[in-house]
Amino acid sequence: MSRPPTFTPPPCATRRVLRTERGDFAVLDAVPAGTARATALLLPGYTGSKEDFIALLEPLCAAGYRVVAVDGRGQYESEGTDQQEPYAQGELARDVLAQAAALAEGGGTLHLLGHSLGGQISRAAVLLDATPFRSLTLMSSGPAEVVAAQRDKVKMLGDALSVLSMDEVWEAMRALDPPQDADTGDGEDMRRRWLRHRPAQLIATGAQLCAEPDRVDELAVLHLPVHVLSGERDDVWPVEQFDAMARRLGARRTTIAGAEHSPNTARPHETAEALAAFWDSVDGA
């Protein structure tokens, strides 16, 4: 899971509720000092939350962008249910379209970004209706299912969530952490976030990661500007798959040196610079 450097948002950002026709969603809403060039809607990955984007907020605001990072249904501070059906990918994609509609009420251009699982949900939303979005960025999010080792981990987690409490699963995961990750100073924030996730959300979306089909050709025919961004290493999808996906899409391709699966937390300034450059190019700046 991504480890944000802090769970405290910068001065440019406000914690608030985004009200939509499909319910309320917890967001971090970061607004630049002047008139925003455009708005970016950011979706986190599996086990993550809007806080995974905290380190991007100030540099993206400095580049002139309003940034809205959201907890999806059943993630951290957004409400969810204990049934798995509401977390079907199509339902989560419709949530994204509702979020986009709520943000569109203020006018302006909207860019969509999804990290990992969030990228696959973003892709599903765009395939349902691309009209609200000026561009799509897939951050560390591959063309289809995750690699076999990750499928094994997700299945193990899903099995554990079916019989253990969230607290029991957390303690088991911490016991398996590598020594260098065992005490990073963010333990209580990470634990609190984990405990507020809905188990049904984790089980349902984990199953999606393990069975996602390749829909790259469907995305390509939309001719929506796409940015494929990743670290130089990744243990969820091979980096070579990101390269090939970008070629198939005719997409912009960015590799962030020194980063792995979460460039948003490992190299936030370099990542923000690459994102702003892409959005600027799409908007003709």
Side-chain angles (χ1 to χ4, degrees):
M1 63 182 69
S2 294
R3 294 180 183 269
T6 177
F7 275 65
T8 302
C12 63
T14 302
R15 291 186 182 275
R16 73 177 185 90
V17 172
L18 180 65
R19 303 195 184 282
T20 81
E21 64 179 13
R22 288 178 62 85
D24 296 345
F25 297 89
V27 302
L28 291 173
D29 193 344
V31 181
T35 302
R37 302 167 62 89
T39 297
L41 175 61
L42 277 52
L43 310 185
Y46 186 59
T47 76
S49 71
K50 60 192 179 301
E51 285 72 20
D52 292 339
F53 301 114
I54 272 182
L56 297 179
L57 300 182
E58 282 191 314
L60 287 177
C61 279
Y65 288 92
R66 178 190 178 194
V67 184
V68 179
V70 61
D71 288 337
R73 180 187 300 269
Q75 283 184 319
Y76 192 26
E77 295 180 321
S78 288
E79 291 299 318
T81 75
D82 293 327
Q83 305 300 314
Q84 293 186 38
E85 290 77 6
Y87 305 112
Q89 189 184 77
E91 294 302 311
L92 299 179
R94 290 179 180 86
D95 287 347
V96 175
L97 294 176
Q99 294 156 11
L103 292 173
E105 293 174 3
T109 300
L110 183 62
H111 298 282
L112 181 62
L113 177 151
H115 174 233
S116 194
L117 170 72
Q120 298 197 333
I121 295 170
S122 295
R123 180 174 70 178
V126 165
L127 290 174
L128 281 177
D129 184 4
T131 56
F133 307 109
R134 185 68 182 89
S135 76
L136 171 64
T137 296
L138 301 172
M139 178 187 289
S140 304
S141 186
E145 64 186 14
V146 298
V147 298
Q150 293 295 329
R151 294 198 298 272
D152 291 343
K153 290 181 180 180
V154 170
K155 183 180 186 303
M156 186 184 303
L157 177 59
D159 291 345
L161 289 169
S162 298
V163 296
L164 300 175
S165 70
M166 290 293 282
D167 196 29
E168 289 170 327
V169 174
W170 173 259
E171 292 304 323
M173 291 192 301
R174 293 293 284 178
L176 294 172
D177 275 345
Q180 65 270 23
D181 294 338
D183 186 9
T184 61
D186 60 1
E188 188 51 41
D189 286 329
M190 295 288 286
R191 178 178 180 274
R192 182 171 58 251
R193 177 173 72 174
W194 170 261
L195 293 178
R196 293 192 64 176
H197 273 70
R198 292 294 182 122
Q201 188 269 351
L202 293 168
I203 294 170
T205 56
Q208 292 166 31
L209 283 171
C210 295
E212 178 75 3
D214 186 322
R215 305 186 71 187
V216 174
D217 291 344
E218 294 176 62
L219 181 60
V221 300
L222 298 180
H223 301 295
L224 180 74
V226 177
H227 186 191
V228 176
L229 184 149
S230 75
E232 61 183 350
R233 295 177 299 279
D234 199 294
D235 62 355
V236 183
W237 289 275
V239 170
E240 293 78 13
Q241 287 191 10
F242 300 140
D243 297 337
M245 180 172 67
R247 289 193 295 270
R248 292 169 64 191
L249 291 168
R252 188 177 185 125
R253 176 74 174 105
T254 300
T255 303
I256 304 297
E260 298 186 16
H261 187 61
S262 298
N264 43 308
T265 59
R267 295 290 187 270
H269 289 279
E270 296 88 340
T271 300
E273 182 179 3
L275 293 174
F278 170 63
W279 295 332
D280 286 351
S281 69
V282 168
D283 292 334

